[in-house]
Amino acid sequence: QLPVSLAPMRIRPEGAFDRWSAALGFDDLNFESEEFSRRYHVSSDDRQQAYDVIHPQMIEYLLDMPDYDFQFHGDVLLLAHVGFLNAGEIQDRIRVIVGVIECVPGYVRRERAN
């Protein structure tokens, strides 16, 4: 559970279909980091919120780990995964989620506090 309420937003690995769609003019949000924009497809109901949440420190944090699928909705952050995880992998995912939450800027937390 997040300490803020956010509009629906998804940060997921970029796929071949996404690149094909972009060629047809359907584009996701792009960021200053070309590497991040190549690795992740970002969609949000609130573009400004996405740019506020996905700032340089968040981008650096996400680039330093495997490509995960994050979904934000209201005060919920979901890290999606297909398949089974062992106890150590679950603990790793919890640390990743906590890191993402800690990267949400203070001004976003204040403006969108629950």
Side-chain angles (χ1 to χ4, degrees), residues 1-73:
Q1 189 168 17
L2 295 167
V4 297
S5 184
L6 299 175
M9 178 172 63
R10 187 169 181 191
I11 306 168
R12 64 173 173 76
E14 180 101 3
F17 181 75
D18 297 315
R19 289 184 284 279
W20 180 78
S21 296
L24 295 176
F26 299 100
D27 207 7
D28 63 326
L29 299 176
N30 290 303
F31 295 83
E32 289 183 22
S33 167
E34 288 182 35
E35 180 183 2
F36 181 82
S37 292
R38 273 193 314 273
R39 277 183 56 185
Y40 285 99
H41 181 277
V42 177
S43 58
S44 177
D45 287 357
D46 183 336
R47 293 175 70 91
Q48 185 57 53
Q49 169 198 277
Y51 289 120
D52 289 343
V53 171
I54 306 170
H55 56 90
Q57 290 79 17
M58 176 75 81
I59 289 171
E60 183 177 322
Y61 180 74
L62 294 175
L63 288 175
D64 284 342
M65 66 182 65
D67 297 344
Y68 291 119
D69 183 345
F70 298 96
Q71 298 174 36
F72 298 78
H73 195 289

Side-chain angles (χ1 to χ4, degrees), residues 48-106:
Q48 185 57 53
Q49 169 198 277
Y51 289 120
D52 289 343
V53 171
I54 306 170
H55 56 90
Q57 290 79 17
M58 176 75 81
I59 289 171
E60 183 177 322
Y61 180 74
L62 294 175
L63 288 175
D64 284 342
M65 66 182 65
D67 297 344
Y68 291 119
D69 183 345
F70 298 96
Q71 298 174 36
F72 298 78
H73 195 289
D75 64 353
V76 175
L77 170 58
L78 171 72
L79 191 155
H81 177 82
V82 176
F84 296 97
L85 297 170
N86 64 40
E89 292 170 321
I90 291 171
Q91 290 176 334
D92 288 342
R93 298 314 191 282
I94 291 170
R95 280 191 286 276
V96 167
I97 291 169
V98 169
V100 167
I101 293 169
E102 289 174 349
C103 283
V104 174

